[in-house]
Amino acid sequence: MREPERHAETGVRLLIVCPDRGGIVAAVSAFLFDRGANIVESAQHADPDDGTFFMRMEFDLDRLPGGRDGFERAFAGEVAERLGMRWRFDWGERKRVAVLVSRHDHCLLDLLWRWRRGELGADVVGVVSNHSDLRGDVEGFGVPYTHVPVPSGAKAAAEAELLEALEPGRPDFLILARYMQILSPGFLARVGVPIINIHHSFLPAFVGADPYRRALDRGVKIIGATAHYVTEDLDAGPIIEQDVARVSHRHGLRELERIGRDIERVVLARAVRWHVEDRVIVHGNKTFVFE
Amino acid sequence: MREPERHAETGVRLLIVCPDRGGIVAAVSAFLFDRGANIVESAQHADPDDGTFFMRMEFDLDRLPGGRDGFERAFAGEVAERLGMRWRFDWGERKRVAVLVSRHDHCLLDLLWRWRRGELGADVVGVVSNHSDLRGDVEGFGVPYTHVPVPSGAKAAAEAELLEALEPGRPDFLILARYMQILSPGFLARVGVPIINIHHSFLPAFVGADPYRRALDRGVKIIGATAHYVTEDLDAGPIIEQDVARVSHRHGLRELERIGRDIERVVLARAVRWHVEDRVIVHGNKTFVFE
Amino acid sequence: MREPERHAETGVRLLIVCPDRGGIVAAVSAFLFDRGANIVESAQHADPDDGTFFMRMEFDLDRLPGGRDGFERAFAGEVAERLGMRWRFDWGERKRVAVLVSRHDHCLLDLLWRWRRGELGADVVGVVSNHSDLRGDVEGFGVPYTHVPVPSGAKAAAEAELLEALEPGRPDFLILARYMQILSPGFLARVGVPIINIHHSFLPAFVGADPYRRALDRGVKIIGATAHYVTEDLDAGPIIEQDVARVSHRHGLRELERIGRDIERVVLARAVRWHVEDRVIVHGNKTFVFE
Amino acid sequence: MREPERHAETGVRLLIVCPDRGGIVAAVSAFLFDRGANIVESAQHADPDDGTFFMRMEFDLDRLPGGRDGFERAFAGEVAERLGMRWRFDWGERKRVAVLVSRHDHCLLDLLWRWRRGELGADVVGVVSNHSDLRGDVEGFGVPYTHVPVPSGAKAAAEAELLEALEPGRPDFLILARYMQILSPGFLARVGVPIINIHHSFLPAFVGADPYRRALDRGVKIIGATAHYVTEDLDAGPIIEQDVARVSHRHGLRELERIGRDIERVVLARAVRWHVEDRVIVHGNKTFVFE
């Protein structure tokens, strides 16, 4: 007879945001200790500016008598409500991700390559594109590819089709791996999962289109890339990760793009790994990354 | 009897901007070779976007029969005019610099320290400030300090006084080492020498005031500093050098400022050295740095 | 009447190393919570390789009824002994540091400058040098300067004199800010406080003398600096911090030294700050830095 | 009728090493100008330590009356011999490269991906491996894959077989993309083309095997990778490029390897591009990279 309520859990994560006050760590760690949890990793941050406390804990459990639901109910009743917490347990289920892409292949292939070698920590359930160029590459990895064109003037219909294309994969989050379409607020509301975008500049510099061209025109000595969560405000969502590289007057537009591609894929990979490992807490328009 | 026309010259620099075409290097190097010049360093760049050619040469001369004027006249007549060059010889005279500063001491003291150990390559002829806080430090280095307050509503008079204060030092260029006043177009026109400013962000992000505060609010993962030539457009002049450092949610405003100070002084020092060594060519709103 | 047992404590730090097992965080945080502590910052690390657990907590106390001694005794009896902890409270007293230097001024002046502006977090109680070159600079900061020459063949006597020179300042730790003498094991044993050294290479590359010369000869494209605790093995003590900069064939020995100076002072400053804030735990020959 | 002697040449490169003296640039640029060459890019370096002059020029030719041989003979007779030059023209033929690999796929796949998108600048003529794991990937790119096992005690025979396997592709250079076998001096002599290796540490730190493990044991705060030309001395050949990334005590061996993979492939890609574009001059055991 199967006894799911007694199995062990590993890699459970608990994320907490609450008003800062004494006793938070003591209350949480006592709750976990009483249930036989072994804390593997713990990090916290108290923001002096607005008095908010953030915590991420990762722990193993030898047994789970009341099941996950019982565990969560007990945590709410014994700890969270009293301390005014916004909280979330992640029980270590492998996350599912769908990737949206246009024509640039570098971020997409890099993600698929990391996924294949087991480095991504999530399952790629599908790729959707407004172009058909990369179908062969994607299917070569054994990943379903759906072409959803976005004809001029027909964005609403295209977004409806996009939602349909995403549905069977039941993704836990989306990655825009250089998807060159702006998603409408309506789409964001209906898709209902976090979306990570890679922007090819060190935001907030060069918000919007053509950042490499504008970097060249401005004569900057450093270019960069930014991975951020998508919000209704274009390129203004919470920044997860950024990195940069030096350039000089010797580099033309194509060199900037080439150098930038290497930054983009590394920045995106880091942001995705942190998201997958529940290391990112969003608060206001900022992220707290417990890497 | 003095024979200035026969003395040797070392470290002479020639900077050229002209339309790109064949024969430029040949013409210039033949001219120099015919006069016994030994080219110590040479760098060039042809911009494919607008067909402009840039060159910096540094050379020694064993003798200079017609003097510097004769040399320059010959270059104009035999080479420069035919090839449509904008050109400039720098005969290696030690440049003179005045520093403008408000209350932050880190960039100023770093410059003075580099100057004292002979690392700056230029002579600091004076420091002018709209505050009197740093007088002791500056005078301790044996450098004249002038206090030119900028009372609210009396900027024009203050700028006139500033020009007067700068005049005796006959500076070849100015450094704004965190000078927290905006200089008027009129001042820029009358002062007539290049001005290098250090801005405490990786421009064009956070143009204007309070960049560290705004970096904190935006939640960027990288902060930086930018050294640029001052133009009438605030923070929009040609960028000479930039650098950055990683930050995280753990860093509050004071930590950003502390980390930023270390970037600012290094970026400013590099920009000043390149300017002093005539390694920077400004073209349009961009720099070509032959480091 | 003085009531020391009722005063508040802020910025108390607790450092723990012990075998990893369940309940450590719960036990420590319950102990602190019971005594009214407010945890300001907390970080932990469980090393999977050797099963060791590391923790740093920083907290404030509103009252301290049994005084510091009573608090520490209670912690030992109620928590530490049972869990096999190596532990240490730092009660936030300002640390005292003495600096040893030879002729290079850049690290020394940088430390003194940071000290003067309140950025160092420790008090500089004295500078000792085997040369007299920098006396004027040091005394200009109001810091005592002692010249302890190290004549060839008289190292033992010099080290005895050095110990004597250090004694009145009662330093909590020493900084070797480019002190070009090797300290004997006997000296290290007798001085009895941690010593931070700045080495001008990215160790373990170029252990020993003349690292910039050897970097030039090897043709590396990156140079660096390393701050480490001094042990009997030359340049082999636990590394606290490292950083690097790119170089090229255009840089000769003097340029490497110039670029290196900027790395050295920043790396040393970071290491010193982390040490001062008790962010560094040494275990075996490695450091765990809870920055 | 075909007139090969009159065709245009683009992207011709001239590399020169000779004793430094006056008139080199003038002689070379006059020679080129007389033949209608348009210099596209030029860089030079005079090493003050040993008085050697290095130059790289890239130019286009509208016509080539005497053919390439005639051009080279004329250069030898009119310029090179008189000035004691070691020189080489590269006429812009696409280089051919073979890749040797063992089991790690990251550098290999990155090279193949860059090759496919036209970013490599060279043709991959084949991959040879002492394992068969990566055959499918390589052949998926349309590149021949040869399995040459290296049984213990049979290295000489294996190297002979390796030479045979390489021969049909007539590679201009080899890349060791994590090839975990040491090549014998005999092999190096017979293969007769440059070999670029990627080493997974910032050499000269951690020369030899297991650098990530040793980096972990030493507790370094920075890891890196080095691309260098292979010589008879293991890991001691001329360094072409290096880069690094920060790590901390939180990173175990697998994290170091993961972070390292991203550095390795970028460093190798840069080194290969510079080699392909004839930007690297080897002199003694050092490289001069005119990037």
Side-chain angles (χ1 to χ4, degrees):
Chain A
M1 196 183 87
R2 188 168 160 270
E3 295 186 318
E5 72 278 14
R6 303 191 63 82
H7 70 177
E9 299 273 353
T10 59
V12 188
R13 293 133 193 186
L14 169 59
L15 302 183
I16 288 170
V17 180
C18 66
D20 192 16
R21 47 172 288 182
I24 301 172
V25 178
V28 174
S29 56
F31 176 87
L32 293 177
F33 181 60
D34 287 349
R35 278 150 189 84
N38 185 36
I39 297 172
V40 172
E41 202 179 318
S42 170
Q44 60 173 85
H45 175 72
D47 198 306
D49 279 358
D50 72 351
T52 304
F53 177 91
F54 303 86
M55 188 163 69
R56 178 192 187 271
M57 275 191 172
E58 186 165 337
F59 57 91
D60 301 334
L61 282 171
D62 287 339
R63 56 201 154 71
L64 191 59
R68 293 176 178 177
D69 281 357
F71 195 90
E72 296 200 5
R73 268 196 308 273
F75 183 76
E78 297 175 31
V79 180
E81 283 163 21
R82 178 169 55 91
L83 294 166
M85 289 177 174
R86 177 159 72 85
W87 57 279
R88 178 167 68 81
F89 284 93
D90 182 294
W91 291 92
E93 303 288 337
R94 233 175 133 70
K95 289 193 182 63
R96 305 165 63 85
V97 60
V99 183
L100 275 65
V101 70
S102 291
R103 280 188 155 129
H104 289 289
D105 68 351
H106 55 289
C107 287
L108 173 69
L109 293 182
D110 195 69
L111 288 168
L112 291 171
W113 168 74
R114 290 182 200 268
W115 168 67
R116 195 184 66 175
R117 60 182 295 135
E119 198 182 284
L120 197 64
D123 287 325
V124 180
V125 296
V127 172
V128 185
S129 176
N130 57 331
H131 292 281
S132 54
D133 311 43
L134 303 173
R135 177 184 295 278
D137 280 322
V138 172
E139 291 179 348
F141 277 92
V143 170
Y145 184 91
T146 313
H147 178 203
V148 178
V150 184
S152 176
K155 192 185 193 78
E159 286 193 344
E161 199 183 335
L162 184 54
L163 280 170
E164 253 178 78
L166 292 170
E167 207 180 328
R170 290 172 297 111
D172 297 304
F173 71 108
L174 305 185
I175 300 172
L176 309 188
R178 301 296 306 273
Y179 182 66
M180 311 305 271
Q181 295 286 327
I182 297 173
L183 297 170
S184 73
F187 177 89
L188 299 182
R190 273 176 295 165
V191 76
V193 295
I195 306 178
I196 297 174
N197 182 48
I198 180 73
H199 189 270
H200 39 321
S201 88
F202 52 99
L203 293 174
F206 309 121
V207 168
D210 272 337
Y212 291 126
R213 158 58 66 190
R214 288 151 68 207
L216 185 71
D217 291 346
R218 181 63 187 91
V220 292
K221 304 304 184 186
I222 280 174
I223 60 170
T226 304
H228 65 93
Y229 288 114
V230 174
T231 61
E232 293 192 16
D233 290 329
L234 183 66
D235 298 339
I239 293 172
I240 308 170
E241 172 62 342
Q242 302 186 288
D243 213 338
V244 298
R246 291 189 73 84
V247 296
S248 82
H249 65 260
R250 293 187 307 272
H251 298 105
L253 183 58
R254 283 173 55 167
E255 281 77 35
L256 295 193
E257 289 171 343
R258 177 176 53 69
I259 293 167
R261 281 194 293 270
D262 284 343
I263 316 172
E264 291 171 38
R265 55 186 195 166
V266 170
V267 166
L268 179 58
R270 283 204 289 254
V272 168
R273 188 174 58 252
W274 293 337
H275 177 85
V276 165
E277 297 176 354
D278 297 295
R279 296 187 177 282
V280 188
I281 298 181
V282 174
H283 180 65
N285 200 45
K286 294 166 66 170
T287 65
F288 297 77
V289 181
F290 296 102
E291 44 157 327
Chain B
M1 196 183 85
R2 186 168 162 270
E3 295 185 319
E5 69 282 353
R6 303 191 63 82
H7 70 179
E9 299 273 354
T10 60
V12 188
R13 294 132 193 187
L14 169 59
L15 302 182
I16 289 170
V17 181
C18 67
D20 191 17
R21 48 173 287 183
I24 302 170
V25 179
V28 174
S29 55
F31 176 87
L32 293 177
F33 181 62
D34 287 350
R35 277 148 190 87
N38 184 35
I39 298 173
V40 171
E41 203 181 318
S42 168
Q44 60 173 85
H45 174 72
D47 198 305
D49 279 0
D50 72 350
T52 303
F53 177 91
F54 304 87
M55 189 162 69
R56 177 191 187 272
M57 275 190 172
E58 186 165 338
F59 57 91
D60 301 334
L61 282 172
D62 287 338
R63 57 201 154 71
L64 190 60
R68 293 175 179 179
D69 281 357
F71 196 89
E72 297 200 4
R73 267 196 309 273
F75 183 76
E78 296 176 31
V79 180
E81 284 163 20
R82 178 170 53 90
L83 293 166
M85 290 177 175
R86 175 159 74 86
W87 57 279
R88 178 167 69 83
F89 283 92
D90 183 293
W91 291 92
E93 302 291 335
R94 232 175 133 70
K95 291 193 180 63
R96 306 164 62 85
V97 61
V99 183
L100 275 65
V101 70
S102 292
R103 280 187 155 131
H104 289 289
D105 67 351
H106 55 288
C107 287
L108 173 69
L109 292 183
D110 195 71
L111 288 168
L112 289 172
W113 168 73
R114 291 181 200 269
W115 167 66
R116 193 184 66 174
R117 58 182 295 136
E119 198 182 285
L120 198 64
D123 287 326
V124 180
V125 296
V127 172
V128 185
S129 177
N130 56 331
H131 294 279
S132 55
D133 311 43
L134 303 173
R135 175 184 298 275
D137 281 323
V138 171
E139 292 179 348
F141 279 92
V143 170
Y145 184 90
T146 314
H147 179 203
V148 178
V150 184
S152 177
K155 195 186 191 76
E159 286 194 343
E161 198 183 336
L162 185 54
L163 281 170
E164 254 179 76
L166 291 169
E167 206 181 329
R170 290 173 296 110
D172 298 303
F173 69 109
L174 304 184
I175 299 172
L176 308 188
R178 302 296 305 273
Y179 183 66
M180 311 305 271
Q181 294 286 329
I182 297 174
L183 298 169
S184 73
F187 178 89
L188 299 182
R190 273 176 297 164
V191 76
V193 296
I195 305 177
I196 297 175
N197 182 48
I198 180 71
H199 189 270
H200 38 320
S201 87
F202 51 101
L203 291 175
F206 309 122
V207 168
D210 271 337
Y212 291 127
R213 159 57 66 189
R214 289 153 66 206
L216 186 70
D217 291 345
R218 181 62 186 93
V220 293
K221 304 304 183 185
I222 280 174
I223 60 170
T226 304
H228 64 95
Y229 287 114
V230 174
T231 62
E232 294 193 16
D233 290 329
L234 182 67
D235 299 339
I239 293 172
I240 307 171
E241 173 61 341
Q242 303 184 289
D243 213 338
V244 296
R246 291 190 72 84
V247 296
S248 82
H249 64 261
R250 293 187 309 271
H251 298 105
L253 182 58
R254 285 175 50 167
E255 280 78 35
L256 295 193
E257 289 170 345
R258 177 176 52 71
I259 294 168
R261 282 195 290 270
D262 284 343
I263 315 172
E264 289 169 40
R265 55 187 193 165
V266 170
V267 165
L268 179 58
R270 284 204 289 255
V272 168
R273 189 174 57 252
W274 294 338
H275 177 85
V276 166
E277 295 176 354
D278 297 297
R279 297 188 178 281
V280 188
I281 298 181
V282 175
H283 179 66
N285 201 45
K286 295 166 67 170
T287 65
F288 297 78
V289 181
F290 295 103
E291 44 159 329
Chain C
M1 196 184 84
R2 186 170 162 269
E3 296 186 317
E5 71 281 16
R6 301 191 64 83
H7 69 178
E9 299 273 353
T10 58
V12 188
R13 294 132 191 187
L14 169 59
L15 302 182
I16 289 171
V17 181
C18 67
D20 191 17
R21 47 172 289 182
I24 300 171
V25 178
V28 174
S29 56
F31 176 88
L32 293 177
F33 181 61
D34 287 349
R35 277 148 190 87
N38 184 35
I39 297 172
V40 172
E41 203 181 318
S42 169
Q44 60 173 83
H45 176 72
D47 198 304
D49 278 1
D50 72 351
T52 304
F53 177 91
F54 304 85
M55 189 161 70
R56 178 192 188 272
M57 275 191 171
E58 187 164 337
F59 57 91
D60 301 334
L61 281 171
D62 286 338
R63 56 198 155 74
L64 191 59
R68 293 176 179 178
D69 281 357
F71 196 90
E72 297 201 3
R73 268 196 309 272
F75 183 76
E78 297 176 30
V79 180
E81 284 163 21
R82 178 168 55 89
L83 294 166
M85 290 177 174
R86 175 159 74 85
W87 57 278
R88 178 167 68 83
F89 283 93
D90 184 293
W91 291 93
E93 303 289 337
R94 233 174 132 70
K95 291 193 181 62
R96 304 165 64 83
V97 61
V99 183
L100 276 65
V101 71
S102 291
R103 279 187 157 130
H104 290 288
D105 67 351
H106 55 289
C107 288
L108 173 69
L109 293 183
D110 195 71
L111 288 168
L112 291 171
W113 169 73
R114 291 181 200 269
W115 168 67
R116 195 184 64 173
R117 59 182 295 135
E119 199 182 284
L120 198 64
D123 287 326
V124 180
V125 296
V127 172
V128 186
S129 177
N130 57 331
H131 293 280
S132 55
D133 311 43
L134 303 172
R135 177 183 297 275
D137 282 322
V138 171
E139 292 179 347
F141 279 91
V143 170
Y145 184 91
T146 315
H147 179 202
V148 178
V150 185
S152 177
K155 193 187 193 77
E159 287 194 342
E161 199 182 336
L162 184 53
L163 281 170
E164 253 178 77
L166 292 169
E167 207 180 330
R170 289 173 296 111
D172 298 303
F173 71 107
L174 305 184
I175 299 172
L176 309 188
R178 302 294 307 272
Y179 182 65
M180 311 305 270
Q181 295 287 328
I182 296 172
L183 298 169
S184 73
F187 178 89
L188 300 181
R190 274 177 295 166
V191 78
V193 295
I195 306 177
I196 297 175
N197 181 47
I198 181 72
H199 189 271
H200 38 321
S201 88
F202 51 99
L203 291 174
F206 309 120
V207 169
D210 271 338
Y212 291 127
R213 160 57 67 188
R214 289 151 67 206
L216 186 70
D217 291 345
R218 181 62 187 93
V220 293
K221 303 304 184 187
I222 279 173
I223 61 170
T226 303
H228 65 94
Y229 288 114
V230 173
T231 61
E232 295 193 14
D233 290 330
L234 182 66
D235 299 340
I239 293 171
I240 306 170
E241 173 61 342
Q242 303 185 287
D243 213 337
V244 297
R246 292 189 71 86
V247 295
S248 82
H249 64 260
R250 293 187 307 271
H251 298 106
L253 183 57
R254 286 174 52 166
E255 279 79 34
L256 296 193
E257 289 170 345
R258 177 176 52 70
I259 294 167
R261 281 195 292 269
D262 284 343
I263 315 173
E264 289 169 40
R265 56 186 193 165
V266 170
V267 165
L268 179 58
R270 284 203 290 255
V272 168
R273 188 174 58 251
W274 294 337
H275 177 85
V276 165
E277 297 177 354
D278 298 296
R279 297 187 178 281
V280 189
I281 298 181
V282 174
H283 179 67
N285 201 45
K286 295 165 67 170
T287 64
F288 297 77
V289 181
F290 295 103
E291 43 157 330
Chain D
M1 196 185 86
R2 186 168 161 270
E3 294 185 318
E5 72 279 13
R6 304 190 62 83
H7 69 177
E9 299 273 352
T10 60
V12 187
R13 294 132 191 187
L14 168 59
L15 302 182
I16 288 170
V17 181
C18 66
D20 192 17
R21 47 173 288 184
I24 301 171
V25 178
V28 174
S29 55
F31 175 88
L32 292 178
F33 181 61
D34 287 349
R35 276 148 191 88
N38 183 37
I39 297 173
V40 171
E41 202 181 318
S42 169
Q44 60 174 82
H45 176 71
D47 198 303
D49 279 359
D50 72 350
T52 304
F53 177 91
F54 304 86
M55 189 163 67
R56 178 190 186 274
M57 275 191 171
E58 186 166 336
F59 56 90
D60 301 332
L61 282 171
D62 287 338
R63 57 199 155 71
L64 191 60
R68 294 174 178 178
D69 281 357
F71 195 90
E72 296 199 5
R73 267 197 308 274
F75 183 77
E78 297 176 29
V79 179
E81 283 163 23
R82 179 169 53 88
L83 294 166
M85 291 177 174
R86 175 160 75 85
W87 57 279
R88 178 168 69 81
F89 283 94
D90 182 295
W91 291 92
E93 304 288 338
R94 231 175 134 69
K95 289 192 181 60
R96 305 165 63 85
V97 61
V99 183
L100 275 64
V101 70
S102 291
R103 278 186 156 132
H104 290 288
D105 67 352
H106 55 289
C107 287
L108 173 68
L109 292 183
D110 195 70
L111 288 169
L112 290 172
W113 168 73
R114 291 181 200 269
W115 168 66
R116 194 185 65 174
R117 60 181 293 134
E119 199 182 286
L120 198 64
D123 288 325
V124 180
V125 297
V127 172
V128 185
S129 176
N130 56 331
H131 292 281
S132 55
D133 310 43
L134 302 173
R135 176 184 298 275
D137 281 324
V138 172
E139 292 180 348
F141 278 93
V143 170
Y145 184 90
T146 313
H147 179 203
V148 177
V150 184
S152 175
K155 192 184 193 78
E159 287 194 341
E161 199 182 335
L162 184 53
L163 281 170
E164 253 179 76
L166 292 170
E167 206 181 332
R170 288 173 297 111
D172 297 303
F173 70 109
L174 305 184
I175 299 172
L176 308 188
R178 300 297 305 273
Y179 183 66
M180 311 303 272
Q181 295 286 328
I182 297 172
L183 297 170
S184 72
F187 177 89
L188 300 181
R190 274 176 292 164
V191 76
V193 295
I195 305 178
I196 297 175
N197 183 47
I198 180 72
H199 189 270
H200 38 320
S201 88
F202 52 99
L203 292 174
F206 309 121
V207 168
D210 272 336
Y212 290 127
R213 159 58 66 188
R214 288 152 67 205
L216 186 70
D217 291 346
R218 181 63 187 91
V220 292
K221 304 303 185 186
I222 280 174
I223 60 170
T226 304
H228 66 94
Y229 288 114
V230 174
T231 61
E232 294 192 14
D233 290 330
L234 182 65
D235 299 338
I239 293 172
I240 307 170
E241 172 62 340
Q242 302 186 290
D243 213 337
V244 298
R246 290 189 73 84
V247 295
S248 83
H249 64 260
R250 293 187 308 271
H251 297 105
L253 183 58
R254 284 173 53 166
E255 279 78 36
L256 296 192
E257 290 171 344
R258 176 175 53 70
I259 294 167
R261 280 195 293 270
D262 284 344
I263 315 171
E264 291 170 39
R265 56 186 194 166
V266 170
V267 166
L268 179 58
R270 284 204 288 255
V272 168
R273 187 174 58 253
W274 293 337
H275 176 85
V276 164
E277 296 177 353
D278 296 295
R279 297 187 177 281
V280 189
I281 298 182
V282 175
H283 179 66
N285 200 45
K286 295 165 67 169
T287 64
F288 297 77
V289 180
F290 296 103
E291 44 158 327

